[in-house]
Amino acid sequence: SIAVARFAAPVAWSPSTEPEVRCAILLAVSEGESATAHMRVLAALARKLMHEAFRETLLTAPTAAALVTFLRGELGQGA
């Protein structure tokens, strides 16, 4: 599973950083899933996050359903 938290205002990720984090992504893998499945999703997500257009869509998708549709299209139906 993938969860995306979009923050109303940028937050500092650590006490020594400026507020600049606008979203956080959580990958959750059930105990029965293989580590390779998790790593495939993580690798695909990391590649996509390199592209500004992908990041911008994460931040601006108008609804949760639109975000789910976008991620499924970008990362595959299992996302």
Side-chain angles (χ1 to χ4, degrees):
S1 297
I2 298 175
V4 177
R6 297 189 302 192
F7 306 120
V11 297
W13 201 249
S14 70
S16 64
T17 63
E18 293 293 319
E20 58 186 45
V21 176
R22 297 185 293 160
C23 82
I25 301 170
L26 167 74
L27 298 180
V29 180
S30 67
E31 191 173 8
E33 281 192 73
S34 71
T36 57
H38 176 255
M39 293 307 293
R40 278 194 305 270
V41 172
L42 181 60
L45 184 58
R47 284 190 300 273
K48 295 291 183 177
L49 286 168
M50 298 291 291
H51 302 283
E52 186 173 345
F54 180 86
R55 294 189 310 269
E56 193 60 32
T57 301
L58 282 178
L59 295 171
T60 61
T63 64
L67 185 56
V68 168
T69 299
F70 170 70
L71 287 172
R72 282 190 174 144
E74 292 291 320
L75 300 176
Q77 286 299 99

